[in-house]
Amino acid sequence: MPYADSEPQGGRSPVPVAIKILVAGGFGVGKTTLVGSVSEVRPLRTEEDMTEPGSLVDQLDGVERKTTTTVAMDFGRISISEDLVVYLFGTPGQKRFWFMWDELAYGALGAVVMADTRRLADCFPSIDYFERNGMPFVVAVNCFDEARRYPSETMRSALNLTDDVPLLLCDARQRSSSRDVLVALVEHAVARLSSGQHVTPAR
Amino acid sequence: MTHVNSWRAGWQALRDSERVVRPYALTAGRTRPTGGRIDLVALVSAVRGGARRELAFDDASGLGPEHVSLLRFCSPHASVADLAAELDLPLGVIRILIADLRERGLVSISQPVATGHNDVRVLREVADALRRL
């Protein structure tokens, strides 16, 4: 992503090009682990206006006047070179957080949706969101030691994925495995671009 | 460098100690930044000379210690997300503080343009670099 205010210098802008990638999925699926295995991970806080769905979930007894809620994200940065930086944002996947995804998704290259075969339904809202939004995404099935393995085709059909969406098995604890997931996402974005589809969703 | 390390250490000690001020107290209760929208990965750069001018900050300037720390962290430049993580402040608060600095001409903000993702050459460069991780 080049920057608007920057002056081109020898074909390259003086400020780094920023690539934003989202890592989504249900609670405990390994988002923090994946972001942490490829970058230094830091928590990022946001105070957001509480939405109706959120107010049903968050206990408001005694604090009825509280209208904001703190949401924590995982934030990682990979400095590829002086002028190319990849930012990773691990975002809570529940539907009640969709309101903050719009901002996160803005200008993002794409998303990694993480899935756990024992709780596959947890990633449905994330898949719904990116399908609706038209953003490139890959599904990364985090292979927990104790979880049963299924053939890719079975998982694709359970997730109702279209043929063009890559599905990978990964071990988020392994740097090389997490790296492969990110590479697959970028390649998927390139493939979509080459086939004439614009990568960045219009907003 | 010693000077830089000492303020950084000082800030980290402050950050790690329990914060006694509610986040939006730092913005005098304001919840919206002045001026245009500031993206999560927008780059904030301290304007040359701004870091020196900051030494003259006082109550009249309307700037607090968080503004001063912020200004130091964005030299030469830092993303909004990096600044929020570094200063351990919610994004909403950090945006307001950044907008205050922008209003006073102490920082410039480079907003990312989404069209960069439509550049296959850049994307291939990213993929190659990630493979080398």
Side-chain angles (χ1 to χ4, degrees), chain B:
Chain B
M1 259 344 251
T2 320
H3 168 67
V4 172
N5 288 338
S6 66
W7 70 258
R8 203 174 271 272
W11 173 261
Q12 277 161 359
L14 180 68
R15 187 188 61 182
D16 296 340
S17 67
E18 200 173 335
R19 198 178 281 280
V20 291
V21 182
R22 295 276 298 140
Y24 283 94
L26 302 177
T27 66
R30 292 166 301 149
T31 58
R32 296 274 175 269
T34 56
R37 155 177 203 288
I38 304 172
D39 193 89
L40 195 57
V41 296
L43 276 191
V44 185
S45 320
V47 168
R48 197 167 302 169
R52 264 195 304 282
R53 260 194 286 163
E54 145 262 315
L55 294 173
F57 284 168
D58 52 28
D59 289 348
S61 70
L63 298 176
E66 287 76 17
H67 289 100
V68 177
S69 307
L70 189 53
L71 197 54
R72 285 172 161 161
F73 275 110
C74 50
S75 178
H77 50 65
S79 72
V80 173
D82 274 306
L83 291 168
E86 201 61 55
L87 275 76
D88 191 26
L89 288 171
L91 279 169
V93 171
I94 214 84
R95 282 199 170 103
I96 293 167
L97 300 180
I98 290 169
D100 290 342
L101 293 175
R102 173 172 65 182
E103 204 173 76
R104 288 162 177 79
L106 295 172
V107 296
S108 67
I109 298 173
S110 309
Q111 300 279 5
V113 178
T115 49
H117 288 160
N118 290 323
D119 187 336
V120 173
R121 191 182 53 86
V122 171
L123 292 185
R124 286 199 202 287
E125 194 180 329
V126 172
D128 288 343
L130 287 174
R131 265 189 215 98
R132 290 193 297 269
L133 268 187

Side-chain angles (χ1 to χ4, degrees), chain A residues 1-5 15-16 42 44-45 75 77 80 87 103-104 106-109 179 186-187 190 193 198-200, chain B residues 39-41 43 79 81-82 84 86 88 90-91 95 109-114 116-118 120 123 129-131 133:
Chain A
M1 212 185 299
Y3 284 83
D5 298 343
V15 289
R42 289 179 292 172
L44 193 59
R45 283 187 299 139
F75 167 53
R77 186 182 58 179
I80 285 174
Y87 294 97
E103 154 159 28
L104 287 170
Y106 181 74
L109 168 79
R179 174 198 67 202
V186 178
E187 282 178 343
V190 170
L193 199 58
H198 276 259
V199 171
T200 305
Chain B
D39 193 89
L40 195 57
V41 296
L43 276 191
S79 72
D82 274 306
E86 201 61 55
D88 191 26
L91 279 169
R95 282 199 170 103
I109 298 173
S110 309
Q111 300 279 5
V113 178
H117 288 160
N118 290 323
V120 173
L123 292 185
L130 287 174
R131 265 189 215 98
L133 268 187

Side-chain angles (χ1 to χ4, degrees), chain A residues 77 128 144 163 165-166:
Chain A
R77 186 182 58 179
D128 280 352
F144 287 88
D163 290 343
V165 176

Side-chain angles (χ1 to χ4, degrees), chain A residues 121-136:
Chain A
D122 286 3
C123 73
F124 291 169
S126 308
I127 292 179
D128 280 352
Y129 182 89
F130 297 117
E131 275 179 349
R132 199 180 293 195
N133 185 290
M135 185 185 289

